[in-house]
Amino acid sequence: MNEQELKVIFEEKFGQGGDIRTYFAPGRVNLIGEHTDYNGGHVFPCALTIGTYAVARKREDRVIKLYSANIEHVGVIESSLDDLTNKDAYHWANYPLGVVWAMIEKGSEIKSGFEMCVWGNIPNGSGLSSSASLEVLTGTVITDLFGIDKTMTELALIGQYSENNFNGCNCGIMDQFAVAMGKKDHAIFLDCADLSYKYASVKLDGAKIVITNSKVKHSLVDSAYNDRRNESSQALADLQTVCGISTLGELTDEEFEKYGSAIKDEVNYRRAKHAVAENQRTIKAVDALNKNDIETFGKLMNASHVSLRDDYEVSCEEVDFLVETEWSVPGVIGARITGGGFGGCTVAIVKDEAVENFKETVGKAYKEKYDLDAEFYVVDIGDGARRLS
Ligand code: ADP
Ligand code: MG
């Protein structure tokens, strides 16, 4: 499928004519800095050239019609500007409807309904942020169709606001920010405390970014995500009794050693230890990349995985097996779990000549152990959400 074929589907569903426009929003992969965004730390994601396409057109009335070519069996979902509530029956369409709701909540005037067909070529629910892609895509469509003036950062915040308040996932800002602000061949070094950011050129001379989809998603994802947020804030509250910080991201490793004993609960201690160390690793990793020191970058990715596995406990058996197998393949510079966790994808940096063997070795070992077919994506870094035509 491509955007032209999606347009044909659009016309089949909603009829021809009028001002039909096409849009794209990428998925993203986070290279390092996991579960640091909501802890006031740094992240280092990049937008991908794979993502979600939309074809859309304004309507004269107040009706909203939505169709996903990925989830055909749901059919066309119909809602209205006058009844924007989350309903189970709306299925996936709660994401775009949430963005419409959030834009109105934040004061934008959406003058009429619209119809939109979407189709994505990123896996859903695997940690490559198809949800943020769909949210920022919807924001891009609405601002363009209705001439609403919003910066891409504002669209990222609206996407997060809708995911938090309409869809009930308490996510941080990283995903939407990366999808909105992506830049070809660059990753985004984002300070989540104040949304200041710098682009860093990702020139992996002789190496590729390879994503491996474990195809598992353990059902505790959303509840565990919210638990980790609570555990981190309890640790922060304990630390605030001994030092004047407002987020865990403000601490260095040395400061954490000095003050960490103030955290009463052992589990909360390990959550904070990860948040602090991961933030410091991210700063070091970007520095290494800027110096073209890919080896150090890879080692920090490996350490990130160990910390997510042991201290933050957001990995799972299958993904640990994948990452540990990846570490043993010649030509792998670094590998870790990426995304929220409990399944989903790994991200690895693999030397060009080693990529084929990587896929074969990891795929075979995984199949033997879990009888699952891992999927591999050798990805390119692309631009953020935009109108195509
Ligand atoms: P992730 O963001 O890691 O892919 P989530 O569980 O946060 O995983 O979001 C996945 C959900 O987003 C899907 O279950 C679906 O509801 C919605 N979604 C994403 N892309 C599409 C698409 N192309 N068509 C319909 N729904 C989509
Ligand atoms: Mg998501």
Side-chain angles (χ1 to χ4, degrees):
M1 174 104 72
N2 57 32
E3 66 209 75
Q4 284 314 317
E5 287 162 346
L6 186 62
K7 194 171 170 203
V8 172
I9 295 179
F10 178 93
E11 289 175 335
E12 274 166 25
K13 297 284 167 198
F14 302 127
Q16 297 180 335
D19 184 4
I20 301 175
R21 302 180 184 182
T22 60
Y23 305 83
F24 173 77
R28 69 97 188 88
V29 66
N30 188 24
L31 298 176
I32 191 162
E34 211 70 72
H35 288 278
T36 45
D37 58 351
Y38 55 82
N39 283 312
H42 293 79
V43 293
F44 196 50
C46 48
L48 302 173
T49 54
I50 49 176
T52 319
Y53 292 85
V55 177
R57 178 175 60 198
K58 267 194 279 200
R59 291 176 60 91
E60 299 291 317
D61 56 15
R62 296 182 62 79
V63 173
I64 300 170
K65 290 190 180 182
L66 302 162
Y67 179 78
S68 170
N70 295 102
I71 314 185
E72 291 171 341
H73 72 271
V74 175
V76 174
I77 299 286
E78 202 171 313
S79 181
S80 150
L81 279 173
D82 303 312
D83 178 27
L84 292 166
T85 47
N86 183 307
K87 294 186 183 148
D88 285 349
Y90 290 159
H91 200 277
W92 69 276
N94 282 309
Y95 287 100
L97 291 172
V99 173
V100 178
W101 169 84
M103 292 205 60
I104 295 170
E105 278 279 307
K106 297 279 174 195
S108 294
E109 194 196 350
I110 298 178
K111 292 205 178 80
S112 71
F114 63 98
E115 41 220 2
M116 175 170 88
C117 265
V118 303
W119 172 77
N121 54 5
I122 24 169
N124 287 179
S126 305
L128 300 186
S129 245
S130 68
S131 62
S133 176
L134 185 53
E135 288 153 8
V136 177
L137 180 71
T138 307
T140 307
V141 167
I142 295 171
T143 47
D144 183 67
L145 285 182
F146 298 103
I148 296 167
D149 194 20
K150 292 272 178 225
T151 64
M152 291 313 283
T153 303
E154 286 170 329
L155 284 190
L157 287 164
I158 284 168
Q160 183 199 17
Y161 185 81
S162 77
E163 187 151 343
N164 290 172
N165 297 294
F166 198 87
N167 289 293
C169 179
N170 210 3
C171 61
I173 187 60
M174 169 173 68
D175 298 353
Q176 290 81 5
F177 197 91
V179 169
M181 302 296 289
K183 181 172 167 181
K184 187 176 174 1
D185 296 331
H186 290 74
I188 309 169
F189 182 42
L190 171 66
D191 182 346
C192 299
D194 60 5
L195 297 190
S196 60
Y197 64 96
K198 275 193 187 127
Y199 290 110
S201 164
V202 182
K203 273 198 229 89
L204 299 173
D205 283 333
K208 298 258 182 307
I209 300 172
V210 184
I211 293 170
T212 305
N213 186 353
S214 70
K215 305 270 204 62
V216 296
K217 184 185 182 182
H218 294 287
S219 57
L220 70 176
V221 184
D222 285 352
S223 67
Y225 191 93
N226 293 336
D227 288 348
R228 292 300 176 275
R229 289 198 68 139
N230 289 333
E231 290 155 359
S232 301
S233 28
Q234 282 164 20
L236 174 65
D238 286 350
L239 283 165
Q240 283 169 329
T241 63
V242 292
C243 60
I245 52 168
S246 49
T247 67
L248 294 175
E250 288 166 33
L251 290 180
T252 61
D253 292 328
E254 293 72 32
E255 286 165 338
F256 185 71
E257 251 183 42
K258 188 165 157 202
Y259 299 120
S261 58
I263 304 171
K264 295 184 205 90
D265 181 86
E266 187 271 336
V267 171
N268 294 348
Y269 175 85
R270 283 189 287 117
R271 305 306 188 234
K273 181 176 163 223
H274 166 78
V276 172
E278 180 75 356
N279 182 43
Q280 297 301 318
R281 269 191 292 274
T282 306
I283 296 167
K284 286 181 203 146
V286 176
D287 190 46
L289 188 70
N290 286 335
K291 292 179 180 142
N292 247 327
D293 179 0
I294 307 297
E295 297 296 326
T296 299
F297 191 88
K299 286 194 183 108
L300 290 160
M301 287 175 80
N302 297 348
S304 165
H305 183 78
V306 171
S307 175
L308 289 158
R309 182 190 68 192
D310 299 343
D311 286 333
Y312 219 65
E313 294 182 282
V314 287
S315 190
C316 63
E317 193 191 318
E318 296 87 344
V319 171
D320 286 339
F321 178 83
L322 277 178
V323 170
E324 283 154 28
T325 309
E326 289 167 15
W327 287 342
S328 73
V329 177
V332 172
I333 295 164
R336 57 184 286 275
I337 187 173
T338 186
F342 304 101
C345 291
T346 73
V347 57
I349 298 184
V350 185
K351 289 194 176 148
D352 288 343
E353 65 278 10
V355 171
E356 279 316 305
N357 179 48
F358 174 93
K359 292 194 221 169
E360 206 181 304
T361 309
V362 175
K364 194 159 162 256
Y366 194 59
K367 176 84 182 169
E368 264 167 29
K369 176 96 177 169
Y370 294 106
D371 197 25
L372 287 167
D373 294 300
E375 236 165 58
F376 299 92
Y377 314 88
V378 179
V379 294
D380 293 312
I381 303 179
D383 288 322
R386 60 202 180 266
R387 180 172 164 187
L388 298 176
S389 66

